[in-house]
Structure formats: structure tokens, C-alpha cells
Amino acid sequence: MMAERRLSSREESLLEVQVEARLLRVKMVLLGSSGVGKSSLALRFSKDEFKASAPTIGCAYLTQVVCLHNARIRFEIWDTAGEEKYHSVTPLYYRGAHAALVVYDICKRESFARAQLWLKELEKQYFPGETVVGLVGNKADLSDGRKVSLQEGYRLAESKGLLFMETSAKSGQQISELLMTIAERVQKSTREDRGLVEWREVESVGLHQGERPHPLGTCCLVGP
Amino acid sequence: MEADVHNKSEALENDSLAPVDRLRRLRADSPTPGLVEGTEPGAGQDSAMFVHAQSFEDLTADGEQEEEVQEGGDGSERAPEVEKPRSEGEESEETQGQRGEQEREQAEEEEEEEVQSGGGRVKEEDVNSEAWRSHRKHVFVLSEAGKPIYSRYGTEEALSSTMGVMMALVSFVEAGKNIIRSIHAEGYKVVFLRKSPLVLVGVSRTRQSERELTRELLYIYYQIISLLTLTQLNHVFQIKQNYDLRRLLAGTEHLTDNLLRLLDRDPGLLLSAVTCLPLAGSLRDVISSSLQAAKAKSLVFSILLAGSRLVTLVRKKDQYLHHMDLHLLFNLVGSSSTFREGEGWTPVCLPKFNTAGFFHAHISYLEPASDLCLILVSTDLEDFFNLSDCKRRFLERLRRRSAYQALQEALQAPSYPVSQVGIPELRHFVYKSKSSGLYTSPEIPMPYQSEEEQERLMGLYKYLHSRMHHPTRPLRSIYRCAEKENLLALVTSGFELYLCFSPLGTKALAVSAINKLLKWIRKEEDRLFILSPQTY
């Protein structure tokens, strides 16, 4: 997985596109308060494993390729830390993302409230339709201790036109469904406005080097 | 119980310490090899990799409150060789005239703990229980408003009134234009470190000196700075004096816990030094040059670790890393499993480099199951993909030069047993080359393999270390017969050496071992140390 990563030069991605039928690079970011299972979801997505993990430090980057119809979609997943001290850097990761998953823990009311804040934050950043935003209620395996009902999550997602799913990173429930749904939506959205989101850099936080292109920005260009 | 204290080191046969093969030219001219800094076994060829920290002193010297030292020779220090019983009410140092007050307050503190009941949450342990009290070393961090920030054992909530009392103590003494440094009572040492806007308190039943405890608190302080920067820390408390810092430190408690464990166990943190993975010199050179070639504009340090051992370190020209910062990076990597799953990208402040700003560290294991971890420290928040590519290039180069396989093999091989040195009755040793800031040590031998025994051995070394680096009466060598082993320590301008012998060893044997060991280290230095550090 590591070896196939390419630096984000447009040339290379064009080349790839010619060779393959279609390779879409999809930047996806996982957001939500700490302890809701973002890292576990990311690990499920990329390796289909589950391990109890310590809180994420900073941010972790993982990848996974899925095949959809005749296209290959490579998810470049940014698993952010939920802790407050990292919030100042999180915009870096959701900026320019094609997909954003806002995760909450169905057993923690408070994480649901935070998820709503995250959604508000994202609304400020994204134009509707350009980014696939999903609301994910995780830890569905612990539904005995449920504090947020399925309807609540569903209603919130519906009111904002978001994708919604309850998952369990632990049992693997609904994980691949979630990933495939996102893949489809992203592919669809890229097909519709075919000029394809050459995503424009919003002036970023206190950057001093002007002359270089921003790698985090450019890497997110999707196919032709 | 007997011990001899020497203020003069044994003469060394200089000629026998001449360096081996490829380094001979460079080193043989030195009149007293091994004794002069820069020529001791393990000294780097050119400049060192690290900020030059002689020892101990550098670390505490930057504490703003470099207090004038009390008169050095009080009774307790005069008979060091006698194993002191945990002397009741022994007070060796204290702020003038506060003694009575402190004791009274101390008593109050204890009462307070009694009154303060459970606190509801039974997350960890009951702070009123005997088990909680009997921990060997407690560490508390609080804000100047007396708000709890961290406690090693028990929840902070349950300890909020205890911490309130601690803050009251600090302010009370400060009101009298004094600084409270420590309280010694009933075998306990309570050590205070004031680092505005934080207050750190250590409560210890160990035999560590007050200075050592203060230094450990300083590590904890820097650990917090490394997560937040001092600028941010000051900022939040300026805005809101009674801010609950735990909000910002949430999710990092395990880093502090782990650092405290390292402080108990890792000789590197004691000696301000780092140990290397034993590796053939030529192989290490290949690895270093591969890492050096995989550079990027924003890179400042590239560090390859094998567990807690250094494989190599490449730095930007003119930029030096401090051991303390490196230890904090070790701790960051060692206490978090998350870097194994993907590539980590995190802001990190290296407080000895600059307390004001963040570096950005790309942290990843070369392979998910391997112990080899690459840390690329960059100045650019947005340089992730560039660094990720550096790593890829580094790996490619390693593979091409078939160094990767060799490195893996070296990693699997055990370090070295002390028997390799061939000194009878020698159980363990720690040797630090001062000029390179690197140390070497054999595998922990049989009798010390359990956790407690390992900590006990470290405790003995710590004791020797504190004696050698005593602020007013430093020693050059010390021989000490402890209960279960005989110990010898020696400090020269070039190195520090700590030896542990079985109880059957004699002093004469120990003294003669020094030379033999130095010769052996000289012979092996190519493998045990990084002799030619690289820069970009």
C-alpha cells in the first residue's frame, strides 16, 4: 500500500488515469469527538482489522483502494484526533476533502452534540453537493447502552441531506457498505459536475511559503 | 555496609586505550585517550549530534529559580556510605524559617486527604486507600489557581482539594518572599517545581535526591510543553486564570504516565544520553547516508529508531537536537500504538529547541510489524506528502543497497550480554561518552529482569549518579557495597561509567575492571556508537 503511493503531481495522476480505466483519488476525513472510534473505523476501512487503540496523536493517514464498476477509487483517509488541542490544525485535513465523515458514539449523547457542531463547521467550508458528508453513529454493537436513537441520527442526517449509517468498527458491521456508498456518491458527484472540482485553496492558516504549491491541496485533485 | 569514596580516579593505562583501526589516526595523538573529552571511547568523529549537555547541570540550570544552595555539609551528608534508614523527620534542605509551618501544613494535607472522600468516580483507584498512599512516587501537576491537571495515580477530581493545599503551601511560602523547594518528612520527600503557569509536585519514598526529583518534574513539564508550546500554555492562562488544562491535555495522559515509567527505568533519561542499536559501522553508514539523501527542504531532523534505541540521526547543518527533546519524541512514539497503522502527522514542540512553536513530525513504522520507526521532523505544516515521499525514497535506497535486510537481522539479534566483555563478577554496566551524548549498556542480566529488580538496579545507579553530581560535593569515583551487589561509579571529563558487580566481586577487581571495560568498549565502539553523524 505504501509503495503505490504517488506524489501528487498532476502528470502522474494523468498517467495513471490513462493506464487504468479510471483511478480516482478521494480524500476523506474522519471527524468527531475523542473516543468515538474514528481510528478504529479508519483501520477497518484500510485493513479490515480491529484493535483497541490509544487516543490518536495529531493525525493518521491511511489508504484503501476500492473497485467500483470500472473505476478504482483510492481512499486517502485522514483520521484526525478528536481532542480539542488539535482543533486548530483539523481544517487542514478537511479542507479540500471529497468526503467527510462525522462520527459519534451512539452510547454518548455528548458526542452526538459535538457531531452537530462539526456539521455546522463543515457547512461553512463546503458548497453543498461538492463534498460528500456522512453522519456515522459508531459502536452499534453496544446498542444496549444506546443513548442516541437511530431515528435521531437519521432525522439529523436527512434534514441536512447527508449520508447516514450506524456502524460498528468492532464487529465490522456496515463498514464496507459505508465505504461503497461513499465511493458511489463521490463518483457520482464527480461525474455530474465534470469540470471536476479543481479545488481552490482558501487562504490557509498562517502559511509563509508562497512560492510552493500546497501539497495537501494539490494532492486532492481527482482524475480527469 | 561499607563503602569507599574516592575523590581521585584510578590511574588508567593510557596506551591501552588507543582507538582501533580506522580511527587510530585521528585519536592516537591524544595524550590521555579516554580521559579527555572528545577522545573517550564512543566519542563522535566530528561534531556531536546533540546540543552539548555535559550532564545533569544543564537540565536544571535553566530553571529560573536557581536557588542559592544551602550550606553543603549537613550531618546527613557526612556519612554517605551508611545505608540510612528512612529517617523520621529528616530535613536536609528547606527554606529558611518555614520548617514549622511546613510541617503543620503537611499534617493538614494528610488530614485533608482523609476528609476528601472517594470523589464518586472510581475510574482508577481510591485515593484514600493504603494502596494509593504506598505508591513509591506520586506526581501532581496543577495550575497556579490550584486546579488539578494531572495525577499519576487516582483521578484528578478526587485530588482537587489535595492539590489546593499544595498550591496553598506554595503561595504561603511565596508570600514570605521565599520559594518552597521541598519538604522532608517521615521518609517522604515532597518536591515542588514552580514553572509558571504550572506547579509540579513530586511525592517520593525513594532514595532519590531532591535534585533528581526536580529534574524528573522538569521532564514532565517539558512533556506538557511539547504538546502545547509554552506560548499557548501562557495564553490560555492569561485569558482564563482558572482554565481547566485537562481539556487541552485530554488523550495524552498516557504520554505522561509512560514518561514517568521511562524515568524509573531508562538510564538514558538519567544520564542525558541516548543508546544506539548495536550495528556494524559500515551498515550504519549506509543507513545514515540513505537517510541523508532522502531530504526535503523543510526537514530539520530525520531520526530512525529501533524501539527505544537510536539507529541513526541526521540533522540539518547547524541545528542540534537536545537529548531531552529526543527523549520526548521517543516517549511520544513509544507510548502510542496509533503510528503503527498508518502514517502519523502531528504537531510537536521540542521545548529545548524552542518553546514557542511547533514542528510537524511525520511518524511511521517502516513496516507495520517492525520496530523500526522513522521520525521526520519538519517545519512545514503542509509538507506531509513531501515527507511521506522522503520515507519512500529512504526505504527504496535501503532496499537497493540491501541494507534493509541486514538492519532487520541486526534488530532481531539480541543486544550483547555482559559476558562478552569478559570481566568476572560483572553483572551490568552503563557507559556514557560525554562528547557524543551516547551511552551503551549490556542486556539486563538474569537477577534484574523483573520489573521491580530493574527499577531497583536503576535506583542504585540513580543514587550513585546523585552522589557523583552532588551540587556542592561532587565525586569522581565511588565504590559501594550494597545489600545484593557491589557498585562502582567513575566520572572523568570524557565519560561516565557505572558498574554493577555480584557481591563476590572485590574492590580490587572492580578497579581493574575499568580498564578492561574501556578497552573493550574502544574495540567495539564502531558497533555501539554513532561515530560519524550526518547532516543534510
Side-chain angles (χ1 to χ4, degrees):
Chain A
M1 187 176 50
M2 225 122 258
E4 73 176 26
R5 178 159 338 99
R6 282 283 142 80
L7 234 216
S8 48
S9 96
R10 186 148 178 97
E11 243 173 56
E12 260 176 331
S13 63
L14 280 175
L15 200 73
E16 276 175 327
V17 168
Q18 280 160 11
V19 176
E20 306 297 331
R22 227 165 122 80
L23 177 76
L24 299 182
R25 304 179 61 182
V26 173
K27 176 179 177 181
M28 178 161 87
V29 62
L30 297 175
L31 302 166
S33 40
S34 53
V36 297
K38 296 180 294 301
S39 297
S40 299
L41 279 176
L43 191 59
R44 267 286 175 210
F45 286 148
S46 83
K47 298 186 185 164
D48 198 20
E49 284 172 15
F50 178 80
K51 278 184 215 160
S53 64
T56 305
I57 305 286
C59 191
Y61 176 83
L62 302 96
T63 58
Q64 171 67 300
V65 177
V66 298
C67 292
L68 189 74
H69 312 307
N70 62 347
R72 293 198 310 145
I73 295 185
R74 198 168 79 134
F75 279 101
E76 302 184 341
I77 303 163
W78 288 97
D79 164 30
T80 63
E83 280 77 24
E84 190 178 326
K85 71 174 160 300
Y86 296 114
H87 286 184
S88 56
V89 287
T90 11
L92 185 74
Y93 306 112
Y94 60 68
R95 234 186 319 138
H98 303 98
L101 295 184
V102 175
V103 187
Y104 66 90
D105 174 353
I106 62 161
C107 306
K108 280 208 193 99
R109 193 78 226 166
E110 188 243 324
S111 72
F112 187 62
R114 285 231 41 108
Q116 299 180 35
L117 291 176
W118 273 115
L119 290 175
K120 284 215 181 76
E121 178 80 26
L122 287 179
E123 276 165 22
K124 283 188 242 157
Q125 300 288 326
Y126 295 141
F127 302 103
E130 212 168 80
T131 304
V132 177
V133 179
L135 181 67
V136 178
N138 193 33
K139 306 201 184 177
D141 54 302
L142 301 177
S143 58
D144 288 349
R146 177 191 286 279
K147 294 276 155 48
V148 183
S149 72
L150 185 66
Q151 283 76 14
E152 264 180 294
Y154 183 74
R155 243 179 279 130
L156 173 66
E158 201 182 31
S159 70
K160 296 181 186 276
L162 311 176
L163 185 81
F164 175 70
M165 226 171 251
E166 279 196 355
T167 60
S168 164
K170 193 169 184 180
S171 70
Q173 175 194 334
Q174 293 285 86
I175 297 291
S176 57
E177 288 82 351
L178 176 59
L179 204 58
M180 291 315 281
T181 316
I182 300 163
E184 266 168 33
R185 294 248 186 138
V186 169
Q187 202 192 26
K188 196 157 145 256
S189 77
T190 59
R191 213 182 289 135
E192 274 165 8
D193 50 317
R194 58 211 87 116
L196 224 172
V197 231
E198 175 158 349
W199 173 77
R200 245 159 270 115
E201 189 89 0
V202 187
E203 201 35 63
S204 56
V205 267
L207 256 196
H208 24 84
Q209 283 125 315
E211 85 281 15
R212 269 193 298 161
H214 299 298
L216 275 182
T218 50
C219 76
C220 306
L221 295 177
V222 172
Chain B
M1 222 96 348
E2 67 152 306
D4 290 348
V5 176
H6 302 265
N7 283 313
K8 249 170 126 187
S9 64
E10 302 300 316
L12 294 165
E13 295 161 48
N14 299 333
D15 54 345
S16 62
L17 286 170
V20 286
D21 25 284
R22 64 175 182 133
L23 300 167
R24 191 180 292 275
R25 261 177 310 109
L26 294 159
R27 298 183 173 209
D29 314 339
S30 164
T32 51
L35 290 176
V36 170
E37 189 170 359
T39 60
E40 79 276 12
Q45 275 175 317
D46 312 308
S47 52
M49 289 177 287
F50 301 116
V51 171
H52 203 90
Q54 265 284 14
S55 60
F56 208 82
E57 275 67 34
D58 293 62
L59 295 181
T60 35
D62 64 350
E64 302 106 26
Q65 65 274 62
E66 229 344 80
E67 332 76 2
E68 81 281 19
V69 187
Q70 302 286 105
E71 75 297 71
D74 45 326
S76 63
E77 297 293 337
R78 211 154 285 147
E81 55 278 10
V82 181
E83 190 87 22
K84 281 181 287 184
R86 303 247 160 76
S87 44
E88 252 87 299
E90 176 217 330
E91 309 201 344
S92 45
E93 281 164 298
E94 56 171 359
T95 46
Q96 308 93 309
Q98 300 298 343
R99 177 175 172 163
E101 288 297 339
Q102 283 170 14
E103 263 172 355
R104 227 172 299 139
E105 299 258 7
Q106 168 88 357
E108 262 170 48
E109 180 181 331
E110 308 236 324
E111 271 165 39
E112 201 68 38
E113 275 169 23
E114 243 126 44
V115 175
Q116 227 275 314
S117 200
R121 251 186 258 179
V122 203
K123 184 182 82 180
E124 283 159 57
E125 49 189 301
D126 183 2
V127 301
N128 298 308
S129 67
E130 207 39 56
W132 185 84
R133 281 162 185 273
S134 60
H135 287 297
R136 285 160 54 80
K137 199 186 291 169
H138 284 273
V139 171
F140 308 95
V141 183
L142 42 144
S143 71
E144 282 171 332
K147 269 225 160 129
I149 294 170
Y150 171 82
S151 166
R152 186 179 191 181
Y153 304 106
T155 61
E156 292 83 15
E157 289 89 348
L159 291 163
S160 60
S161 59
T162 307
M163 298 215 200
V165 173
M166 289 173 180
M167 193 58 225
L169 272 173
V170 171
S171 336
F172 179 81
V173 176
E174 270 176 17
K177 300 260 184 298
N178 256 320
I179 295 168
I180 185 165
R181 285 161 50 201
S182 64
I183 302 171
H184 301 240
E186 306 210 349
Y188 283 89
K189 288 191 186 83
V190 184
V191 176
F192 295 82
L193 176 67
R194 179 74 188 268
K195 281 290 207 180
S196 186
L198 303 181
V199 177
L200 298 97
V201 183
V203 180
S204 161
R205 295 194 292 118
T206 65
R207 299 178 60 228
Q208 274 178 288
S209 68
E210 179 194 327
R211 253 160 77 86
E212 303 256 356
L213 291 168
T214 310
R215 203 181 69 107
E216 296 191 359
L217 293 180
L218 198 61
Y219 255 104
I220 302 302
Y221 168 74
Y222 281 131
Q223 166 62 42
I224 292 170
I225 298 295
S226 83
L227 292 164
L228 301 176
T229 72
L230 183 58
T231 314
Q232 197 185 343
L233 186 67
N234 282 331
H235 184 69
V236 293
F237 282 109
Q238 260 157 29
I239 290 179
K240 198 172 167 210
Q241 221 199 338
N242 64 350
Y243 184 81
D244 184 358
L245 195 66
R246 284 181 306 157
R247 270 179 63 188
L248 279 183
L249 292 176
T252 58
E253 297 85 352
H254 65 292
L255 293 181
T256 312
D257 293 342
N258 198 56
L259 183 60
L260 282 166
R261 265 197 299 278
L262 283 182
L263 282 165
D264 283 341
R265 237 170 272 168
D266 191 330
L269 281 77
L270 173 68
L271 294 174
S272 314
V274 179
T275 191
C276 309
L277 176 76
L279 214 56
S282 53
L283 177 57
R284 199 187 310 271
D285 289 347
V286 170
I287 296 166
S288 303
S289 63
S290 305
L291 195 53
Q292 182 194 27
K295 61 183 170 192
K297 213 165 132 197
S298 71
L299 259 183
V300 189
F301 301 111
S302 307
I303 305 158
L304 184 62
L305 294 183
S308 61
R309 292 176 293 175
L310 189 63
V311 178
T312 188
L313 186 155
V314 184
R315 58 183 178 81
K316 205 181 190 107
K317 216 165 180 260
D318 303 325
Q319 306 294 348
Y320 294 88
L321 192 58
H322 193 284
H323 323 89
M324 213 167 192
D325 289 339
L326 188 54
H327 286 142
L328 292 176
L329 285 173
F330 278 16
N331 184 49
L332 179 72
V333 171
S335 44
S336 194
S337 55
T338 51
F339 302 118
R340 286 196 175 271
E341 310 307 342
E343 293 167 65
W345 182 236
T346 181
V348 59
C349 168
L350 300 177
K352 287 304 227 173
F353 194 96
N354 184 348
T355 52
F358 279 123
F359 282 107
H360 301 276
H362 180 279
I363 302 173
S364 62
Y365 282 83
L366 296 192
E367 276 179 277
S370 129
D371 261 346
L372 293 165
C373 181
L374 182 65
I375 308 174
L376 300 171
V377 180
S378 151
T379 50
D380 189 349
L381 173 63
E382 307 223 5
D383 225 10
F384 175 86
F385 285 99
N386 237 336
L387 298 184
S388 184
D389 191 53
C390 286
K391 178 199 169 184
R392 188 187 54 75
R393 283 176 6 230
F394 169 60
L395 259 180
E396 229 167 54
R397 207 173 290 253
L398 273 192
R399 292 218 166 90
R400 212 167 43 225
R401 300 168 76 176
S402 55
Y404 189 68
Q405 192 52 38
L407 180 56
Q408 285 289 359
E409 278 160 21
L411 197 61
Q412 250 103 64
S415 180
Y416 59 95
V418 71
S419 58
Q420 242 183 51
V421 186
I423 296 173
E425 308 302 334
L426 181 63
R427 282 183 177 171
H428 190 253
F429 68 88
V430 183
Y431 168 89
K432 175 194 171 186
S433 146
K434 280 190 182 174
S435 58
S436 64
L438 299 170
Y439 80 91
T440 186
S441 192
E443 286 160 10
I444 296 285
M446 229 356 237
Y448 303 107
Q449 273 173 354
S450 76
E451 233 165 67
E452 298 103 66
E453 280 300 297
Q454 202 179 329
E455 279 179 27
R456 193 178 65 81
L457 178 63
M458 267 303 292
L460 292 167
Y461 287 151
K462 278 181 182 173
Y463 171 73
L464 295 178
H465 184 265
S466 69
R467 300 275 317 181
M468 309 294 281
H469 296 280
H470 193 275
T472 50
R473 300 158 82 215
L475 301 175
R476 292 176 63 189
S477 71
I478 180 169
Y479 181 75
R480 180 165 193 277
C481 296
E483 252 171 276
K484 297 177 183 165
E485 50 273 294
N486 296 341
L487 300 147
L488 175 68
L490 174 70
V491 174
T492 71
S493 65
F495 64 83
E496 277 181 49
L497 180 60
Y498 300 83
L499 299 147
C500 170
F501 293 91
S502 87
L504 298 176
T506 60
K507 192 177 145 200
L509 181 87
V511 170
S512 68
I514 295 174
N515 243 311
K516 204 165 173 194
L517 180 59
L518 287 178
K519 266 194 246 174
W520 183 84
I521 293 171
R522 174 65 89 196
K523 188 161 67 71
E524 299 285 326
E525 67 176 352
D526 211 21
R527 194 168 65 92
L528 303 178
F529 294 93
I530 300 175
L531 297 179
S532 35
Q534 301 285 341
T535 56
Y536 309 120

